[in-house]
Amino acid sequence: MKSLGKIIRSVQAFGRELSRKGVGTEPRSPVIGLALGGGFARGMAHIGVLKVLEEEGIPIRLIAGTSVGALIGASYCSGVSVQELEALSRSVRFATFARWTVSRFGFASNDRMVAFLARTLKVKTFEELRIPLGVTATNFNTGEAVVFHSGEISDPVRASCAYPGMFLPVNIRGQWLVDGMLSHPVPSRPLRDMGAERVLAVHLKGQWSKDGAPRHLFDVIGQSFAIAQDQMSHLWRGAADIVVEPDVAGFAYDDFKRAGELIRAGEVAMRKALPDVLRWMEKPVEALIPTTSTPVVTPAPMSAD
């Protein structure tokens, strides 16, 4: 009996050791999050990024979006395919989302986005999305960042796209909200909060005015925000592992008619970043060492077709 008890204790100890060392468990790849920044029509470049990630089988487990990044992120997370997004991009224009209005709060309303999202999204709530999504906005009164993860999708996306001075603020549950670019130009930090272990951030850097001279008030407002965002870029870059910057400098903020070129710019930039992303997949997550610097992947300037 003593021998039997000794054998049982040995087996139990061996089992505990197996459990402690994780023997028999499969190593897993890291939870990759995709942060899609704002940029109005230039956001079509996000479609090119998603296209390459799908073609290469890179599993995106979480997405966070700001402004146009929220719009494209919500569509993709709801089940809209990259091919469907490409088709949509060829038909959308400023009037698809917005209408001019007379108001002391802005020159346009993006209420048309409600009907667009109703036609486009495969689901209505965050809880139904196939990929978890974070949508950023900014509380106009307090300046605090707001990140939506639950409830209906439509109004948070509208709020995230409510560019100050251009679009009217959006009221959600008593809060007046404006564009998420004021608090999270590229929402890499919300992705960390959502559980991302590796963050791929897409930054749509570019001047609002092609030749340096503003064309109208919106160029003045847009370029002013771009300057301010450059000054605070360290806040979101520090939470990103790789920053992809498609070459969108030659595109105006309302260049919807050049969607094909913008998608191609996203593809080119993502292809350049691909070797670094693929290295994430070569090692189990336990072997990954936190990065101390953020590589920035910026392709050479593209010539217009």
Side-chain angles (χ1 to χ4, degrees):
M1 293 295 295
K2 289 184 179 180
S3 298
L4 179 59
K6 186 175 181 180
I7 293 172
I8 291 173
R9 287 192 296 273
S10 297
V11 171
Q12 290 173 334
F14 181 66
R16 288 193 297 271
E17 185 68 11
L18 285 177
S19 178
R20 185 180 68 81
K21 291 184 176 181
V23 176
T25 61
E26 290 294 326
R28 65 177 179 86
S29 58
V31 175
I32 299 175
L34 180 63
L36 303 177
F40 216 53
R42 294 166 177 162
M44 301 296 183
H46 291 322
I47 301 173
V49 171
L50 288 167
K51 185 176 182 179
V52 172
L53 291 170
E54 275 203 357
E55 289 175 350
E56 298 299 328
I58 306 298
I60 299 301
R61 303 272 296 279
L62 302 166
I63 293 178
T66 290
S67 200
V68 66
L71 177 62
I72 291 176
S75 300
Y76 185 73
C77 290
S78 78
V80 178
S81 68
V82 169
Q83 292 73 28
E84 289 174 309
L85 286 171
E86 285 188 278
L88 280 170
S89 72
R90 291 192 288 269
S91 62
V92 298
R93 295 294 185 269
F94 179 84
T96 304
F97 312 110
R99 61 180 176 83
W100 298 111
T101 187
V102 178
S103 170
R104 65 182 184 273
F105 300 127
F107 290 95
S109 168
N110 64 9
D111 55 0
R112 287 181 177 173
M113 193 175 291
V114 174
F116 174 80
L117 291 170
R119 296 192 305 270
T120 303
L121 299 182
K122 307 288 187 180
V123 300
K124 294 183 179 180
T125 67
F126 283 87
E127 290 80 3
E128 298 172 281
L129 295 171
R130 67 185 183 93
I131 299 173
L133 172 71
V135 170
T136 71
T138 307
N139 186 307
F140 176 77
N141 297 110
T142 67
E144 295 176 336
V146 179
V147 184
F148 290 91
H149 300 288
S150 62
E152 291 197 2
I153 302 168
S154 181
D155 278 349
V157 171
R158 284 184 59 220
S160 188
C161 295
Y163 203 87
M166 178 180 288
F167 293 115
L168 307 182
V170 176
N171 190 298
I172 300 179
R173 295 190 290 275
Q175 293 187 85
W176 286 103
L177 303 172
V178 293
D179 203 309
M181 289 181 70
L182 290 175
S183 51
H184 290 295
V186 181
S188 51
R189 290 194 177 277
L191 276 178
R192 293 291 184 187
D193 295 337
M194 291 167 66
E197 294 165 330
R198 281 289 180 258
V199 171
L200 179 64
V202 185
H203 179 218
L204 304 175
K205 180 180 174 63
Q207 290 185 329
W208 272 52
S209 180
K210 293 181 183 179
D211 58 5
R215 298 172 297 168
H216 41 57
L217 173 62
F218 299 138
D219 273 357
V220 175
I221 295 172
Q223 186 62 11
S224 297
F225 276 114
I227 293 169
Q229 288 161 9
D230 280 346
Q231 298 301 312
M232 60 183 286
S233 65
H234 64 283
L235 297 176
W236 61 264
R237 286 182 185 272
D241 296 290
I242 295 175
V243 177
V244 177
E245 292 187 328
D247 176 27
V248 296
F251 298 87
Y253 79 96
D254 54 353
D255 259 342
F256 291 99
K257 63 184 181 297
R258 299 175 67 187
E261 297 170 67
L262 283 160
I263 292 171
R264 178 59 181 161
E267 289 184 65
V268 170
M270 190 60 240
R271 286 284 172 195
K272 187 170 183 180
L274 196 58
D276 290 328
V277 177
L278 288 174
R279 276 193 281 273
W280 293 347
M281 313 303 296
E282 294 172 358
K283 297 179 180 180
V285 68
E286 293 80 4
L288 291 173
I289 300 174
T291 55
T292 55
S293 61
T294 304
V296 178
V297 183
T298 306
M302 294 174 55
S303 57
D305 293 340

